[in-house]
Amino acid sequence: MTTRLAMIVAPRTLDEVIKIPPVPRTKTDSSFIDKAFHRKNYQDPYAGVEDKVGVRFVVLLAGDVKLVGQALSECGFEVSKDRDFEQEREARPLEFAYQSDHFVVRTSTEMQVDGLTLAKGMPCEVQVRTLLQHAHSELTHDRIYKGKKEAPTSVRRTVARSMALIETTDDFFGQVVIALEELDRPGRELLVQVDGIYREAVAGVTPEAAKSNVLIIDALAPLLGTDAATSLRTFLNSKPHIPAHVASQATHSHLFRQPAILLAYLGGASKPAETVENWPLTREELRPIFTQLGKSLDDY
């Protein structure tokens, strides 16, 4: 499930989407008996309790809830949606209440997991909510929505107002994410191109994807023209000793395993003063690059 979700959320990382590590839990005997025989009126108590096993995914934004649902649907299990907060919001547009997507995921065949046999059709409840919804639920769900005593009108109204604020905040956050992703799109596209060039040119080295790539691209891309990838490819073809040097440095240098390091060579060769001025990391990290280019860093 987590692997499938990691594939779906690209170009964002899984940590940017999942804000609290999901921890599976099993219902205690006491809790199961209380729900199966006292709080609910099940015809078949054991089969009726579908959250004997459960897990909760807490994501950043409401749009991310859909990503978890998509990943669930593609994991090879039988999945049914027990509760959909978006459908509930459409059905009751003037009501601001408890929000969470609930799924029941069942094994499609008998399975062996960690030495245990899971029967076909065994259920697991999966809850998916945003970080803001989670905070709201932790504060209010058991006391307001499941409590035996009805909360005063003033309290229920305050809770509804807080949920309305959460919805508004999530909408604003969503707009910010869209705007920032569009702002970052050219840099992401260039990084994909540079990564491909690195894999082709730097033999025997698997490139890494540390955040320094983003820093270098953001700093140097404006200096290198509108088609930096083509310029880089042409430059490396004319200087075959540079990829070989990068490969030798990559055996002991983290920075030289980052694809964007190739842009530092291109910048140092074509616009050395501007590259030094805009370089986002320590100045000394440019020295071996300038030396390889036949330049002295101290001249800039």
Side-chain angles (χ1 to χ4, degrees):
M1 162 64 185
T2 304
T3 301
R4 183 60 197 163
L5 182 57
M7 296 170 61
I8 292 173
V9 301
R12 296 163 67 197
T13 66
L14 193 59
D15 287 343
E16 290 175 318
V17 174
I18 302 295
K19 306 315 295 181
I20 297 177
V23 179
R25 62 106 185 103
T26 56
K27 225 172 183 59
T28 64
D29 292 346
S30 175
S31 179
F32 171 77
I33 291 170
D34 184 64
K35 182 173 183 177
F37 296 100
H38 299 288
R39 291 190 288 114
K40 302 289 185 178
N41 185 26
Y42 293 114
Q43 293 293 322
D44 182 346
Y46 183 80
V49 178
E50 296 178 319
D51 62 342
K52 294 184 284 290
V53 180
V55 65
R56 177 181 298 135
F57 289 88
V58 179
V59 299
L60 183 59
L61 301 169
D64 298 332
V65 173
K66 297 178 180 179
L67 298 179
V68 179
Q70 181 183 346
L72 280 172
S73 69
E74 298 175 6
C75 279
F77 295 98
E78 296 177 4
V79 181
S80 61
K81 204 166 192 179
D82 193 45
R83 184 166 189 171
D84 186 323
F85 79 83
E86 287 193 346
Q87 288 184 1
E88 293 177 3
R89 186 169 57 183
E90 288 294 318
R92 296 186 295 274
L94 299 181
E95 181 178 327
F96 297 92
Y98 170 72
Q99 294 185 354
S100 182
D101 270 10
H102 289 196
F103 299 86
V104 176
V105 180
R106 297 179 183 274
T107 51
S108 52
T109 61
E110 184 178 283
M111 299 176 61
Q112 298 292 324
V113 179
D114 296 334
L116 299 175
T117 300
L118 305 184
K120 178 182 178 181
M122 178 171 288
C124 171
E125 182 190 68
V126 178
Q127 295 182 6
V128 191
R129 60 176 65 144
T130 70
L131 192 60
L132 292 174
Q133 290 169 356
H134 180 64
H136 179 274
S137 178
E138 288 295 293
L139 178 65
T140 66
H141 189 233
D142 288 343
R143 297 289 300 276
I144 302 296
Y145 300 110
K146 287 188 175 180
K148 296 298 182 182
K149 295 181 180 179
E150 184 172 347
T153 301
S154 59
V155 172
R156 298 178 73 87
R157 179 172 172 80
T158 299
V159 168
R161 288 165 59 196
S162 70
M163 183 52 72
L165 181 60
I166 285 173
E167 286 193 18
T168 301
T169 302
D170 190 88
D171 287 343
F172 287 152
F173 283 172
Q175 293 174 30
V176 169
V177 167
I178 291 172
L180 291 178
E181 287 185 348
E182 181 60 26
L183 181 66
D184 294 339
R185 181 178 55 79
R188 290 199 308 268
E189 293 175 350
L190 178 57
L191 178 56
V192 170
Q193 294 174 309
V194 173
D195 181 88
I197 294 172
Y198 187 102
R199 292 175 187 272
E200 295 171 8
V202 184
V205 181
T206 300
E208 297 178 354
K211 290 185 178 180
S212 54
N213 283 293
V214 177
L215 295 177
I216 294 171
I217 286 177
D218 285 349
L220 301 187
L223 310 177
L224 303 176
T226 57
D227 196 356
T230 298
S231 299
L232 177 61
R233 195 180 297 276
T234 301
F235 170 73
L236 294 178
N237 286 338
S238 67
K239 307 282 187 182
H241 64 283
I242 288 179
H245 177 70
V246 171
S248 67
Q249 294 294 309
T251 60
H252 59 272
S253 171
H254 163 80
L255 184 60
F256 279 79
R257 295 192 294 273
Q258 310 308 316
I261 194 68
L262 297 179
L263 295 178
Y265 282 93
L266 177 61
S270 60
K271 295 186 177 181
E274 294 91 334
T275 296
V276 172
E277 181 180 356
N278 289 277
W279 180 247
L281 307 179
T282 64
R283 178 183 173 89
E284 283 304 304
E285 287 172 308
L286 277 176
R287 190 172 296 279
I289 295 171
F290 272 59
T291 299
Q292 189 64 23
L293 292 169
K295 300 176 185 290
S296 172
L297 180 66
D298 297 329
D299 292 339
Y300 302 96

